[in-house]
Amino acid sequence: RVELQLVNNYVSYDIYQGTHLAYSFLSTPSTNGVYATQIARKVNASGNGTSHYFALLNSSNNIAQYASISGIIDTNTAGSHNGYLTFDTATAGSVTEKARITSAGNFGVGETSPTARVDITAGTTAAASLRIRAGVAPTSPNDGEIWYDGSDLKMRVGGTTKTFTLT
């Protein structure tokens, strides 16, 4: 069964399976045309979560999933629970994970277990792991910043800009 409520301009609806609450949704009023929705699922085991799917009509006028964002339980100890986000997109009709943010704040591109703040999967003959497009040097670069000026790769280290001439 489904129960709907309108309380202080918030729309809340709960979906029950038998007598058990399976999902709970809360939509907030629009500000600047953007609605926020909270999705809660009554599960507590690692690997479970909720997703927001982006489905549209395909060329055959059938609903097809093009992407999703999922919030997943990693560990579930009361008061010290951890979760992660996955970002999935469709390639050739199959939706697969393309990026992940872990509970530690590590961001993986093509990596499901990133171990660094930014962890990018190895490049292929079709695509490099990372591309730095040509631009101009920052006005006041900070240590650790990297840029490419169109001819040389540069990095700020110890208050000095180092130039890596590409040959």
Side-chain angles (χ1 to χ4, degrees):
R1 76 178 193 269
V2 176
E3 293 181 5
L4 295 166
Q5 295 181 27
L6 178 61
V7 180
N8 297 330
N9 291 327
Y10 290 84
V11 175
S12 170
Y13 57 100
D14 297 328
I15 300 175
Y16 289 83
Q17 290 178 328
T19 59
H20 301 290
L21 179 63
Y23 293 93
S24 180
F25 300 86
L26 177 66
S27 293
T28 60
S30 173
T31 57
N32 299 325
V34 177
Y35 283 85
T37 303
Q38 172 187 320
I39 304 170
R41 184 174 172 206
K42 298 289 273 191
V43 295
N44 63 5
S46 293
N48 284 291
T50 60
S51 299
H52 184 89
Y53 293 96
F54 301 91
L56 303 162
L57 293 177
N58 63 17
S59 61
S60 298
N61 283 328
N62 295 315
I63 293 288
Q65 181 184 343
Y66 285 84
S68 66
I69 300 171
S70 301
I72 311 290
I73 296 170
D74 191 11
T75 59
N76 192 18
T77 302
S80 63
H81 50 281
N82 295 310
Y84 58 90
L85 283 175
T86 64
F87 300 85
D88 311 325
T89 61
T91 304
S94 179
V95 178
T96 57
E97 182 177 329
K98 302 301 191 302
R100 178 180 293 213
I101 301 174
T102 68
S103 60
N106 294 342
F107 179 67
V109 178
E111 292 292 331
T112 58
S113 298
T115 57
R117 287 293 176 224
V118 178
D119 195 341
I120 303 171
T121 195
T124 66
T125 56
S129 292
L130 178 66
R131 179 178 184 180
I132 301 174
R133 295 186 181 266
V136 297
T139 305
S140 301
N142 296 302
D143 281 353
E145 292 182 347
I146 301 170
W147 64 95
Y148 173 58
D149 65 9
S151 59
D152 296 315
L153 187 64
K154 303 198 177 205
M155 181 175 186
R156 188 72 169 191
V157 179
T160 304
T161 297
K162 305 290 185 178
T163 300
F164 303 90
T165 303
L166 306 175
T167 57

